[in-house]
Amino acid sequence: MIALKTPEEMYQYCIDNELGTGMGCGKGGAIKRFNLLIQNLKDDENVYCVFIGLHNYKKQTKSNEGNYAYALTNKRCIMVQHKLFGVSVQAVDVESITNISFVKTGIYGINGIGMICIDTYKETFNVAIDKISAQKICNRVHEAFEDIRKSAVSTPTAQAIDTY
């Protein structure tokens, strides 16, 4: 599991893993959002998966919150976007996430819309992106979660052994 450190690495990660770069969000917009993610990381946080999508998607005809950048770190799932006045930053501790799933929905363009649902104990975040990217993102997020959980389990054991 390689930690992503720069906005350019995050953008390239999306390209290399065919995760898309959001709904109508070009390279410049992606880099800008990934830079905002980096600004909101804690010192002990490492980014393992990133993507961009329409935040809290409801329907094509309803008002959505626009493209957000998402990062899965060893501590949190972080969601950020530049607003007209300031920024929007939301974060959920990894332990609070109960499920991440992929849902096909509606027809938008050639591929249609796919939705990634991030369920927590308190709320659900619906992220819309094209179906192909959404499925790949969901798979990649599950892989990253598994790696994070494995490293969290192995770390206390290694520390206990080092103390003897």
Side-chain angles (χ1 to χ4, degrees):
M1 185 165 52
I2 299 171
L4 304 166
K5 305 233 183 261
T6 69
E8 292 77 14
E9 285 177 347
M10 293 176 182
Y11 179 78
Q12 196 59 50
Y13 171 87
C14 290
I15 300 302
D16 292 347
N17 292 287
E18 300 177 342
L19 301 181
T21 56
M23 303 281 286
C25 179
K27 181 178 181 178
I31 297 289
K32 183 178 177 182
R33 286 170 179 82
F34 291 144
N35 189 48
L36 184 57
L37 273 173
I38 290 169
Q39 292 170 16
N40 284 281
L41 292 175
K42 295 178 180 179
D43 290 338
D44 60 345
E45 230 169 353
N46 295 312
V47 176
Y48 296 111
C49 182
V50 293
F51 60 94
I52 294 176
L54 286 174
H55 188 63
N56 283 337
Y57 181 81
K58 293 167 187 56
K59 288 185 182 178
Q60 246 181 303
T61 57
K62 293 208 175 199
S63 172
N64 298 296
E65 294 184 37
N67 280 313
Y68 274 58
Y70 298 83
L72 180 62
T73 77
N74 55 317
K75 306 279 184 187
R76 306 177 291 166
C77 178
I78 307 169
M79 302 155 259
V80 299
Q81 180 199 48
H82 287 277
K83 297 281 191 178
L84 187 57
F85 299 104
V87 297
S88 174
V89 179
Q90 295 175 309
V92 177
D93 289 337
V94 170
E95 296 85 21
S96 297
I97 297 172
T98 58
N99 190 36
I100 296 178
S101 57
F102 164 72
V103 179
K104 291 180 189 175
T105 181
I107 297 175
Y108 180 82
I110 296 171
N111 296 327
I113 292 178
M115 191 159 36
I116 300 161
C117 300
I118 303 169
D119 294 317
T120 71
Y121 290 117
K122 293 183 180 180
E123 61 191 311
T124 297
F125 301 98
N126 296 318
V127 184
I129 193 165
D130 69 272
K131 283 183 203 174
I132 293 169
S133 294
Q135 181 65 64
K136 289 180 181 185
I137 289 166
C138 194
N139 292 341
R140 182 61 70 169
V141 167
H142 281 279
E143 290 169 10
F145 256 119
E146 187 61 30
D147 289 342
I148 290 166
R149 286 190 177 122
K150 283 179 185 175
S151 68
V153 169
S154 66
T155 301
T157 305
Q159 289 174 346
I161 291 170
D162 288 341
T163 59
Y164 288 106

